[in-house]
Amino acid sequence: MSTKIIFLFAMLTILGCRTSAAKLLGKYRKSIVSPTNILSYSMHLHSQSSFIINNLKTNVNNCKKQFIKKTCDKNKTASESSLSCIVKNKDNRQFTDDAKGKELYLQENNFIKDKKLISISPGGYKGFYMLGTCLFIKENYNLDKYIFSGASAGAWNSLFMSYKGDPLEFISNIMDPAIINKTSSIFEVEVLLKMKLLQTYKSEDFDMNRLFVGVTTYNKFNFNTNIFTDFDNLDDAVNCCIASSHIPLITGGIFNKYNDMYSFDGGFSEFPYLNVMKPTIHITPSIWEAQKKVFKKPNVYNKIQTFYNSTTLFSREKYDLFELFDNGFGDAKKNKDKLDLIFHN
C-alpha cells in the first residue's frame, strides 16, 4: 500500500477520535503555557513514532517508483511532481533531488562546496538528549566549515547549531527550569516559543545559509520531501521548524501550510535531509549505541495504531527533560575520543 493511502487511512483513524482529542487539547489550553515546551513536544513525537516511520520505508520505496522526478515546481502537473527537492526561500529556486539537480545546486551555491554536513534526526522527547549532544559539539569544536540539516526535533536542533552567539546563553533561554516541565497544548507552545525567539534574537544571530530543514509536503495529490534553506529571516526559519514538526490534531489542527504547501512532520519522509553530500556525523538519540533495535514489520492496521498511539500526550510524564539533556551532554563527553576523530580530521 502506498505511503499516500497509509497516511490518509491514518488521518481517518485519528479523525474518528477527534472529539476526545479536541477535549484533550482544550484541557491543555487552559493550563499555563511554556514557550520552551514546543521543543519537548515537537521532539517527543518521534521517540515512539520512529517505529512506524522506520517500517513505512518499504512503502515509501515502492511509492517512489510511481513518481516521475522531473521538477520541484509546485505549479507543474501532479505527474511531474518530484518526491524530493531543495527549496531556497529567498529567490524561490528549487532543485530536484537527482544528479542533475544536485549538480546545478552546487554550481549556484559555491559556499557549500567546502562545507561538511551534520544531519540531525527526529527524536521525540529524546530530542533533548540530542540537544545536549549538540551543545557539547558546539562548545568543543570549530563548526565554521559545517552546515546543518534536520527534521522535526532535528530541525530545532539544527536551528540551535546555526546560532552564532553563546550556546549556553541560548540553552538557558530555551531550558528555563521554572517552566520546562509545565504541560500545555503544542499549538500554544509553538506560538510562544516563536514569540520567545523573535523577542530575544535577531535574524543576524543565525547563519541561515547553513540551515536546512526537512518538511513532508502535500501538493497536487503527492507527498513530497522538501529541504528548505536560505530563509528570509528568523521568523521564516522558525515557521519552517514548526512545519517540520507538524502532526495533525497534535500541533494545533489538521493542516499546517508553509510556503503555500500543506506541511507535515519531516520524520514522515524517508530521508528528510540535505542529500548533496554524505554527513560527517548523523546525530540521533541512539548515536552511541553499538546496535540498533530491530523491529518486526507490522501489518497496516498496527502501523496506523502505532502512529496514533505515538501522537498522544500521555507519555510526557515518562521523561525528565533535564536528565535527557544532561545525559546527551555527558555521553558526548564520554565519547569525546570518537568525536575528536570526526571533527579533527
Side-chain angles (χ1 to χ4, degrees):
M1 183 179 291
S2 70
T3 303
K4 183 192 304 183
I5 295 176
I6 291 175
F7 186 86
L8 293 176
F9 191 19
M11 287 296 299
L12 290 175
T13 302
I14 294 175
L15 287 174
C17 302
R18 183 173 182 177
T19 300
S20 59
K23 290 181 180 179
L24 179 62
L25 290 174
K27 176 183 177 182
Y28 283 124
R29 285 194 177 97
K30 295 179 182 178
S31 63
I32 300 175
V33 179
S34 159
T36 61
N37 283 346
I38 175 57
L39 280 175
S40 66
Y41 280 116
S42 68
M43 291 171 175
H44 109 281
L45 294 171
H46 275 288
S47 60
Q48 297 181 29
S49 63
S50 59
F51 173 61
I52 175 63
I53 292 171
N54 287 338
N55 288 285
L56 277 172
K57 287 183 178 180
T58 300
N59 299 87
V60 173
N61 287 332
N62 292 334
C63 185
K64 276 186 175 182
K65 299 176 183 178
Q66 303 173 15
F67 290 90
I68 301 175
K69 298 180 65 176
K70 291 184 178 181
T71 180
C72 291
D73 188 346
K74 59 192 174 187
N75 294 319
K76 294 294 183 179
T77 64
S79 63
E80 293 177 324
S81 182
S82 173
L83 186 66
S84 178
C85 67
I86 304 170
V87 182
K88 294 183 64 180
N89 279 2
K90 284 185 179 179
D91 55 10
N92 199 31
R93 291 280 287 140
Q94 304 177 2
F95 305 84
T96 53
D97 185 17
D98 54 19
K100 184 176 181 180
K102 293 175 185 178
E103 181 181 0
L104 181 60
Y105 177 77
L106 292 173
Q107 288 177 356
E108 296 188 11
N109 298 273
N110 289 326
F111 86 97
I112 204 175
K113 290 184 177 180
D114 64 341
K115 298 296 189 295
K116 297 179 180 180
L117 174 64
I118 295 176
S119 58
I120 311 177
S121 77
Y125 275 127
K126 293 182 181 179
F128 279 96
Y129 178 93
M130 296 191 296
L131 185 61
T133 302
C134 288
L135 175 61
F136 183 85
I137 291 174
K138 199 168 176 63
E139 284 193 313
N140 288 275
Y141 303 100
N142 184 350
L143 302 180
D144 291 344
K145 293 292 185 179
Y146 287 86
I147 55 178
F148 315 104
S149 179
S152 195
W156 295 99
N157 276 291
S158 294
L159 180 64
F160 164 63
M161 294 294 271
S162 70
Y163 178 60
K164 299 177 183 177
D166 180 2
L168 282 177
E169 177 267 336
F170 186 94
I171 294 297
S172 66
N173 281 325
I174 296 302
M175 300 194 66
D176 186 343
I179 58 179
I180 191 66
N181 289 318
K182 291 186 180 295
T183 312
S184 57
S185 78
I186 302 174
F187 176 72
E188 289 180 341
V189 174
E190 286 181 337
V191 171
L192 290 181
L193 178 61
K194 177 179 177 179
M195 292 174 58
K196 174 83 170 182
L197 290 172
L198 296 181
Q199 289 172 355
T200 308
Y201 303 105
K202 301 177 294 183
S203 300
E204 294 74 23
D205 294 327
F206 299 82
D207 194 339
M208 299 297 180
N209 287 330
R210 296 199 290 154
L211 175 62
F212 297 82
V213 175
V215 181
T216 304
T217 61
Y218 181 78
N219 185 60
K220 295 185 182 297
F221 305 103
N222 290 320
F223 285 100
N224 303 323
T225 304
N226 286 341
I227 311 301
F228 293 96
T229 187
D230 195 25
F231 298 97
D232 294 326
N233 46 48
L234 179 58
D235 184 30
D236 183 29
V238 172
N239 285 339
C240 193
C241 289
I242 291 174
S244 181
S245 307
H246 178 65
I247 294 181
L249 293 182
I250 302 301
T251 54
I254 299 177
F255 300 112
N256 180 74
K257 293 196 75 172
Y258 176 75
N259 210 28
D260 295 327
M261 289 177 282
Y262 291 107
S263 60
F264 301 94
D265 196 294
F268 292 153
S269 296
E270 180 187 19
F271 192 80
Y273 314 107
L274 184 66
N275 196 25
V276 300
M277 64 184 71
K278 183 178 180 180
T280 299
I281 183 173
H282 182 55
I283 300 174
T284 72
S286 58
I287 185 173
W288 309 118
E289 293 181 7
Q291 296 180 345
K292 294 183 178 179
K293 294 181 180 180
V294 178
F295 296 96
K296 294 181 179 179
K297 293 183 179 180
N299 59 34
V300 173
Y301 174 81
N302 287 336
K303 290 181 181 180
I304 296 171
Q305 193 63 38
T306 303
F307 173 84
Y308 175 76
N309 291 336
S310 71
T311 58
T312 66
L313 305 179
F314 297 109
S315 60
R316 169 63 182 86
E317 65 276 6
K318 296 180 181 179
Y319 299 95
D320 184 325
L321 306 185
F322 289 105
E323 182 179 356
L324 284 171
F325 174 82
D326 289 341
N327 288 342
F329 187 92
D331 288 347
K333 185 175 182 179
K334 292 176 183 177
N335 289 276
K336 188 176 184 299
D337 57 333
K338 298 185 181 75
L339 293 173
D340 286 344
L341 293 175
I342 295 172
F343 292 101
H344 289 163
N345 283 338

